Structure formats: C-alpha cells, structure tokens
Amino acid sequence: MDMPVPKKNAPLRQKDPPPRWRKEVQSVLLSRERIASRVRSLARQIEKDFAGRDLVIVALLNGTVVFLADLLRRLSMPLRLDFIGVSSYRGGTESSDLVFTKELRLNVTGRDVLLVDDILDTGNTLFRVSAKLRRLRPRQIKICVLLDKPSRRQEQIAADYVGFIIPDHFVVGYGLDYAEQYRNLPFVGILRPEMFAPRHGSQT
Ligand code: 5GP
Ligand code: MG
C-alpha cells in the first residue's frame, strides 16, 4: 500500500472563491474541506503526543479563534484552555511592536503548554510570546500553527505542528484578518491587491 502523502506539503492549487467573495478575494488557497481534513490529523497527532500529560492550550487572540474552535472539538482528552492577547499595531500586513492586551490567567508551571497561533510569519510574535511563557517554567512548550510562511522568517523559531506551509502571500479567512475584516471566510484566501488600503492598528 502507498504511504499517505503529507498534506501540508501537497501542492496548493488556487481556486476561484465563492461568488459572494469574488470581488474581494482573488483565489482560494485552502478550501474548508482541505482545512478540516488537516485539522483532524493535527488533532490526532496532538492527542498521541500529549497522552497522559497535564496539557494547557494557550491560544493567541484574535486570529486563532476559528482554527482553535475546530481543533478543540477534535481533541478527546483532558485539557485546559487559556488565551493571550497580542496586538501588533501593524500598518496592515507587517508585524511590528507587540502589545499584550490580555495576560495568561492559568498556572502553567510544570505543565505541558501547546501554544496555538494562526500563522508563523517573521516569527517575532511567537518568539517573544514563547520567551515570556518560558519564564513561567512550564514542563515544555510546543507550538502549533495553522499556517507557516518559512520564507519570511526573521527569528530562529519553528512550529512543532504545522497545518500548511504556504508561499509568501498575505492570506485572509478562517480567523485571519485584514484590518479586522475577512475573519469569517470559511476558507483561506488571497485578497485582491486593490483591497489593500493605507491604514493602521490591527490585532493579530
Ligand atoms: P509574525 O510575528 O510571525 O511576523 O506574524 C504573526 C502575526 O502576523 C500572525 O499571528 C498574524 O496575525 C499576522 N500575519 C502574518 N502573516 C499574515 C497573513 O498572511 N495574513 C494575515 N491575515 N495575518 C498575517
Ligand atoms: Mg495572529
């Protein structure tokens, strides 16, 4: 029998978005079906790796909400959930200075932390958040992201669980925003270039 091909490395074929979004979204990079199937296998892997552990999932607001909700419902194991709020005050598409808008409330000392974010881009956000968490002395910190853009990395950081490796496009949907919009798209898509307008202040 053939070995299953790892889905995160399968070629990404861009498709037309549903008519409702066609004016704003140029193409669908990841369909909802493709995401759902990948989330299922990520959850299976996480269940296996953290079996019997004292797991705390720490998700970054706001970009993880959709991914997190789907992932959580696939995890049939005891776990605790908490959030960290990070705002990067980007001018639209570039992360810059980080501001913490919500601090962790649960005790993670001695516990296993799974840090969940929507996308690993330059790595600045997760690099700084994981350094901050490490000071709380968890047993270990593992990182899970839906998307990874390795070509943009500036910090020495890698995720332990990656949904999809994607090329250097600014993507929206399935929780990811542009200027706080498009989080509700059920797929991950590429915005039309004309949708980018100069503005400031955005939550990651
Ligand atoms: P990093 O700090 O790794 O550069 O970026 C992390 C944050 O930047 C992500 O959590 C996300 O909020 C934002 N970001 C990076 N790339 C993209 C992208 O392609 N689309 C969207 N919507 N946000 C992105
Ligand atoms: Mg984010």
Side-chain angles (χ1 to χ4, degrees):
M1 207 174 77
D2 287 339
M3 290 294 288
V5 177
K7 291 229 169 62
K8 69 178 178 185
N9 294 329
L12 300 171
R13 257 174 286 117
Q14 299 175 22
K15 296 183 211 82
D16 281 343
R20 159 64 187 90
W21 296 108
R22 236 165 254 172
K23 272 201 195 112
E24 291 144 283
V25 180
Q26 177 177 301
S27 59
V28 174
L29 190 63
L30 300 166
S31 68
R32 62 197 301 170
E33 295 79 15
R34 180 124 188 243
I35 297 170
S37 132
R38 185 71 191 133
V39 169
R40 270 198 300 278
S41 50
L42 283 177
R44 273 197 298 271
Q45 191 61 50
I46 291 167
E47 279 183 338
K48 219 167 91 192
D49 295 353
F50 291 90
R53 309 288 347 160
D54 197 354
L55 175 62
V56 182
I57 292 188
V58 175
L60 299 195
L61 296 170
N62 298 342
T64 51
V65 287
V66 183
F67 172 45
L68 179 74
D70 283 349
L71 183 69
L72 278 179
R73 282 175 290 188
R74 293 277 169 198
L75 293 173
S76 312
M77 64 194 297
L79 58 85
R80 294 180 173 87
L81 173 65
D82 202 355
F83 296 92
I84 293 182
V86 193
S87 186
S88 66
Y89 294 103
R90 300 169 273 139
T93 59
E94 295 288 330
S95 62
S96 57
D97 286 343
L98 281 196
V99 176
F100 287 87
T101 57
K102 189 208 168 288
E103 298 286 343
L104 195 70
R105 301 292 299 276
L106 289 182
N107 180 11
V108 296
T109 308
R111 294 182 171 149
D112 288 40
V113 169
L114 182 66
L115 185 54
V116 179
D117 202 5
D118 50 5
I119 182 165
L120 184 52
D121 185 30
T122 65
N124 290 320
T125 306
L126 282 171
F127 187 81
R128 285 192 248 175
V129 172
S130 52
K132 192 175 151 90
L133 277 174
R134 219 170 293 122
R135 291 199 285 275
L136 302 171
R137 307 217 159 275
R139 181 177 165 274
Q140 63 166 342
I141 303 174
K142 296 282 185 190
I143 295 176
C144 172
V145 292
L146 175 71
L147 307 174
D148 186 2
K149 281 198 268 191
S151 61
R152 299 246 313 158
R153 202 78 84 247
Q154 290 169 7
E155 297 288 352
Q156 279 265 351
I157 187 159
D160 304 281
Y161 305 92
V162 174
F164 301 92
I165 294 172
I166 62 165
D168 184 12
H169 291 298
F170 187 81
V171 293
V172 294
Y174 199 66
L176 290 107
D177 74 309
Y178 172 63
E180 295 306 324
Q181 296 200 66
Y182 308 107
R183 294 197 196 273
N184 55 320
L185 303 188
F187 54 86
V188 170
I190 300 173
L191 269 192
R192 291 193 184 282
E194 58 268 33
M195 302 316 297
F196 294 102
R199 65 182 82 223
H200 42 82
S202 181
Q203 282 214 317
T204 62

